[in-house]
Amino acid sequence: MQGDQGQWEIDNDLAGALYAADPASFLAHGFSVALLGAVYLTRPGAGALAVLYVAFHGIANCLAIALWAWRRYKPLAFSARRWIDLHAMRNLALHSAPGLSIWLAFQNDSTDLATAHTVLLVALAALAYVANGLSLANLSGAVPTLLLPATVLHLLQPRHNGFALGVVLAVFIVGIYLFSAQYRGLFRGIVKARVAQERLAETVARQNVVIEEASLAKTRFFAAASHDLRQPLHAIGLLAHVLTDRTTSAQERDETAEHIINNIESLNHLFNQVLDLARIESGVTQVISQHFRMSELLMRIERQFRPAAAAKGLALRVAPTTCIAYTDPVLLERVLMNLVSNAVRYTERGSIWVGVRHNADPARCRIEVRDSGIGIAPHEHELIFEDFYQVPLGPQSRQIGHGLGLSTVRRLSRLLGGEPSLRSDTGRGTTVCIPLTTGDERLITSSITAPLSMSAFIEHRRILCVDDDPANLEALGALLARWGCVVRVCRDELAAVRAISEGFMPDVLLCDYQIDRRQTGIEALRAVREALRRRGHTQLVSVMMTGDVASPELAALAAEGVPVLHKPVTATRLRRTLDSLLQPHGENAAA
């Protein structure tokens, strides 16, 4: 495509150059017509052949002027390549009459007349070279037509050194072709350089537009986030003053406290959504896939949202399924939570249906969340996946939510290897489909709804914990001990290496990323690995925990396959991560 575009640019410039040089050619050929007519038509015994040559030359010049005028006033009548071809045909007609008219000079006994006529043809050929040298077809229609007849006659009918003149004409023709080849190469190079520069300018302009759009999107993001964060904070501040009023009744205080709790939950929900987006964008969110029963995950969703749906008079139906999925159940649960939460929020009557549908491909299936809510107009189907975009609900409706749910759904779905699809129209409800990879029931290692203590992969494992916060270390050590682990806690890298030198060979390293101002968990991880390597112990499962979401080092660590868990880390998430990494089929890969 780029080659076609480049040739189009060359043809366009070439056509412009050919027709731009025509006015000088018209004057030269007009002078040639007058001169040949004055010389040959006034001579005694001028024959019909002389009249024919002069008349044809004049008519060809007029036709050339007409073609030039047509191009000038109707440039889009033909393509650039067609205009070039027409110009080449015009050259052949325009230059054939003066070229063949040399025969008239050789019919006379005057050697000077033949020489003078040849000089005229050379002058016209030189002008033709300047005007048509950029096009081989146009050059071939002009220079050989002018000079080949004179060259042949001088070589075959030499008179007074005419043979030498014929040789000179032949060399002149060859020289013109050689120089025109260089001329055309230079021209093509100039046009290609210009086209490349224009493309570069277009690329830079597009990049500038992208940068400006990103900047505007960032500004809108922070403006919307600031607004949505300030709203509950503002309400909490006002409600807190109500609590300080001793004249309020106990019932009013209870209601105020409930409003404060609701606003805090809203604020916490928004923070979690923003942090989810930041984690995904930073590239540190990892997919820890496992085989599990979809019925168990759907059961968790149903238990969580059935009360909210029932409170609005909605029927929440979860279709039974025997599907086995292979994906990250934690990330998929966050996707479904956002979808079902939206369905409950924007459905006033009717029902919500959640279930699995199978495709023709047995390796793929999809989970659908369908509601009978307000629906989404077709022109908004793409917009709703943008950050902070919310469907307008009308002047009588209060805008609820933060516009981050579906943008999180799309990012998480892509992270899981699929693209969400949407079917919806105004007043007809909405259906969102999330593609999934099917799993193998024989590879299910644990139930995602089972109590944590049922999985034995972590029991009796030696775990080395590195964190500079004593409270975190104490809580983490106590939790791991209750899970049956042998735990050693350390405040820094040196203590961890010392523990290894004292004979504690860990199976797992749990390390905080920001240990202190001088050291990161990555340095501690490298030191621990090196200490173990020197003692011949290479099997180590490493997990990094952090509150940071934007560090490039964390993204690089995640790319290496080291799980990065973002605080606050729940006991469930930690246990499932460790169980997944310590499974017999995945232990070596996680080391």
Side-chain angles (χ1 to χ4, degrees), residues 151-199:
T151 303
V152 172
L153 288 175
H154 279 292
L155 292 175
L156 297 180
Q157 300 182 15
R159 59 172 89 171
H160 300 290
N161 297 323
F163 185 84
L165 183 57
V167 173
V168 170
L169 288 175
V171 172
F172 182 69
I173 294 173
V174 173
I176 281 180
Y177 270 88
L178 292 177
F179 281 114
S180 66
Q182 296 179 353
Y183 193 18
R184 289 192 299 274
L186 178 62
F187 174 76
R188 294 178 69 89
I190 292 174
V191 174
K192 288 181 179 179
R194 179 181 61 78
V195 171
Q197 187 176 17
E198 290 176 353
R199 286 177 180 166

Side-chain angles (χ1 to χ4, degrees), residues 382 385-386 406-414 419-420:
E382 282 298 319
F385 289 103
E386 301 295 330
L406 288 178
S407 62
T408 302
V409 165
R410 180 163 66 175
R411 284 174 168 87
L412 287 174
S413 297
R414 288 175 174 175
E419 183 74 22

Side-chain angles (χ1 to χ4, degrees), residues 323-388:
C323 175
I324 308 299
Y326 179 68
T327 187
D328 188 318
V330 175
L331 298 184
L332 180 59
E333 184 175 8
R334 282 157 62 183
V335 169
L336 295 179
M337 286 173 60
N338 276 294
L339 292 177
V340 178
S341 174
N342 273 359
V344 172
R345 180 180 296 124
Y346 296 109
T347 302
E348 296 300 328
R349 64 180 63 88
S351 63
I352 299 165
W353 184 89
V354 184
V356 177
R357 294 193 182 279
H358 294 275
N359 300 331
D361 182 4
R364 303 288 293 176
C365 62
R366 66 185 187 277
I367 186 165
E368 290 187 1
V369 177
R370 185 171 68 238
D371 65 57
S372 58
I374 59 175
I376 303 165
H379 70 275
E380 293 183 297
H381 285 188
E382 282 298 319
L383 296 175
I384 62 168
F385 289 103
E386 301 295 330
D387 299 336
F388 287 105

